[in-house]
Amino acid sequence: MTAFVFSEPNFDHHEQVVFVSEPKSGLKAILAVHNTNLGPAMGGCRMWNYASEGEAITDVLRLSRGMTYKNAVAGLPIGGGKSVIIGNPKTDKTPALFEALGEALERLGGRYITAEDVGTSPADMANVSRKTRFVAGLGETGDPSPFTALGCFVGAQAAVKHHLKRDSLEGLVVAVQGLGHVGYDYARRLHEAGAKLVVADIDQAALERARAEFGAQIVPVDSIYDVEADIYAPCALGATLNPNTLGRLKARIVAGAANNQLATADIGEALRQKGILYAPDFVINAGGIIKVCYEYLHKPESEVEAHVRKIGETLAEVFERADAEGVSTSVEADRVAESRFKK
Ligand code: NAD
């Protein structure tokens, strides 16, 4: 199959799409700069065993656009970009591969700054940094996940206040899907706030820990959608809000960390019609990029938490405006982002 860029449905007037091939290391990568109106583009580097070049192009176009929206709504002075390396992260990684990526970033002269993502690690970014300074998230000051979890927690509080007219999470039932880096820390905060947890994961050890530490009730992976919960917190996979799960959800709020939660854009409106308040994924899960951006720009670490906590206020505004305009929260969040980055 021939792969196209301009005619790809996810192509959205990306400023620059760079194909990188470096035979010595075997690097095959695509770097996409979606929009730099607010500053240099920032977004992670994903390494994935794509079945085809077309799949890699689709992914990098979609993800880089998403970063523009996420960074703009988070009020960061950066634009949106992303990169993908075509290869198996378990078998194809070498220091030379990431050094070659660093050289490609250097040629872009700072228009795009990378960081870790699915399939890459702080150690890989350290290899990138041998060739360029346009890389963030080197692991010097730790994992961004706790900040993503904090953003989800303040986002859940904002959603509960808006939709359930309550100031506290005490006694609410939260169905947490995925107890990984973000989900576990988010669950801890929810537990400390008095919420009751129902959890699902494929990792038995994480489940047992949550049961022991938080008194969480464990349900099978596919049953999480059927839980009689107040909040559904997707913290594992994308596209879990889809025609199959929509009819099953009992929760009145969706507030979780996963990227690309809506299988298709129209699901945002379907959730609204069902009276379910959806905290748009790219608004609620921006805590990690806020942390990485502060680190890269050498802004005071002591100010990161206050910035992440603003996610609650931003969501409250999105919810109110969506109500006032009679649109879904996902449409409203897109509008907020576009009002900031579109010139
Ligand atoms: P992670 O890999 O640490 O955790 C994912 C968890 O989901 C794991 O415990 C895994 O066992 C579990 N899981 C996998 N398949 C599952 C299934 N079918 N049902 C239930 N659980 C399942 O990832 P993470 O860093 O915690 O990120 C979670 C989500 O949040 C991802 O979608 C990620 O893209 C998104 N996100 C993460 C960050 C961050 O700072 N880490 C920032 C923004 C968005």
Side-chain angles (χ1 to χ4, degrees), residues 29-149:
I30 312 171
L31 283 49
V33 175
H34 175 253
N35 188 287
T36 57
N37 284 350
L38 294 176
M42 192 182 277
C45 172
R46 180 164 292 193
M47 184 165 183
W48 195 254
N49 217 358
Y50 292 101
S52 67
E53 279 173 37
E55 214 180 77
I57 291 170
T58 300
D59 216 23
V60 80
L61 292 176
R62 186 176 59 86
L63 292 167
S64 56
R65 179 180 186 273
M67 288 310 299
T68 300
Y69 282 75
K70 184 186 293 204
N71 296 341
V73 175
L76 295 171
I78 50 176
K82 203 93 181 181
S83 51
V84 296
I85 296 178
I86 301 172
N88 186 335
K90 292 206 174 91
T91 54
D92 297 346
K93 278 187 186 179
T94 58
L97 190 86
F98 287 97
E99 285 175 14
L101 181 73
E103 283 167 358
L105 289 164
E106 194 61 22
R107 287 193 293 274
L108 273 175
R111 285 178 52 72
Y112 166 60
I113 298 140
T114 201
E116 66 180 287
D117 195 71
V118 176
T120 60
S121 67
D124 299 328
M125 294 306 118
N127 286 324
V128 172
S129 76
R130 292 216 192 99
K131 299 292 177 183
T132 185
R133 67 199 144 92
F134 304 125
V135 53
L138 295 167
E140 290 153 359
T141 49
D143 179 8
S145 305
F147 291 95
T148 308

Side-chain angles (χ1 to χ4, degrees), residues 274-295:
K274 277 186 61 115
I276 298 175
L277 182 67
Y278 168 60
D281 47 14
F282 68 85
V283 185
I284 197 170
N285 74 12
I289 188 73
I290 293 170
K291 152 84 176 141
V292 169
C293 181
Y294 268 63
E295 185 189 315

Side-chain angles (χ1 to χ4, degrees), residues 83-335:
S83 51
V84 296
I85 296 178
I86 301 172
N88 186 335
K90 292 206 174 91
T91 54
D92 297 346
K93 278 187 186 179
T94 58
L97 190 86
F98 287 97
E99 285 175 14
L101 181 73
E103 283 167 358
L105 289 164
E106 194 61 22
R107 287 193 293 274
L108 273 175
R111 285 178 52 72
Y112 166 60
I113 298 140
T114 201
E116 66 180 287
D117 195 71
V118 176
T120 60
S121 67
D124 299 328
M125 294 306 118
N127 286 324
V128 172
S129 76
R130 292 216 192 99
K131 299 292 177 183
T132 185
R133 67 199 144 92
F134 304 125
V135 53
L138 295 167
E140 290 153 359
T141 49
D143 179 8
S145 305
F147 291 95
T148 308
L150 172 63
C152 289
F153 179 71
V154 296
Q157 285 178 315
V160 164
K161 189 167 175 118
H162 182 85
H163 207 47
L164 307 182
K165 313 287 175 232
R166 289 177 53 146
D167 288 323
S168 153
L169 301 184
E170 184 82 45
L172 294 180
V173 178
V174 186
V176 182
Q177 181 181 40
L179 293 167
H181 289 95
V182 180
Y184 201 89
D185 206 45
Y186 181 24
R188 179 184 57 76
R189 288 186 179 274
L190 293 164
H191 169 68
E192 286 167 2
K196 294 182 191 139
L197 302 178
V198 182
V199 296
D201 199 302
I202 50 171
D203 179 347
Q204 201 58 34
L207 290 171
E208 291 303 338
R209 226 178 114 203
R211 174 159 38 204
E213 283 189 52
F214 315 139
Q217 182 194 336
I218 299 169
V219 294
V221 162
D222 190 54
S223 304
I224 196 75
Y225 307 108
D226 307 312
V227 172
E228 292 283 349
D230 299 289
I231 302 175
Y232 163 55
C235 298
L237 322 157
T240 62
L241 299 167
N242 58 49
N244 170 39
T245 58
L246 208 58
R248 294 166 62 188
L249 281 184
K250 314 281 187 300
R252 299 180 59 200
I253 289 169
V254 178
N259 280 314
N260 304 313
Q261 292 172 25
L262 305 178
T264 47
D266 57 322
I267 300 282
E269 177 58 21
L271 287 165
R272 186 176 88 91
Q273 298 282 342
K274 277 186 61 115
I276 298 175
L277 182 67
Y278 168 60
D281 47 14
F282 68 85
V283 185
I284 197 170
N285 74 12
I289 188 73
I290 293 170
K291 152 84 176 141
V292 169
C293 181
Y294 268 63
E295 185 189 315
Y296 182 76
L297 297 175
H298 303 293
K299 291 176 80 169
E301 201 182 340
S302 56
E303 291 170 15
V304 175
E305 180 169 334
H307 196 139
V308 174
R309 285 187 179 276
K310 278 196 199 147
I311 288 173
E313 291 157 39
T314 305
L315 277 170
E317 276 169 35
V318 167
F319 298 152
E320 275 159 31
R321 286 170 63 161
D323 281 355
E325 288 165 35
V327 297
S328 67
T329 52
S330 46
V331 164
E332 184 55 40
D334 282 354
R335 287 181 184 172

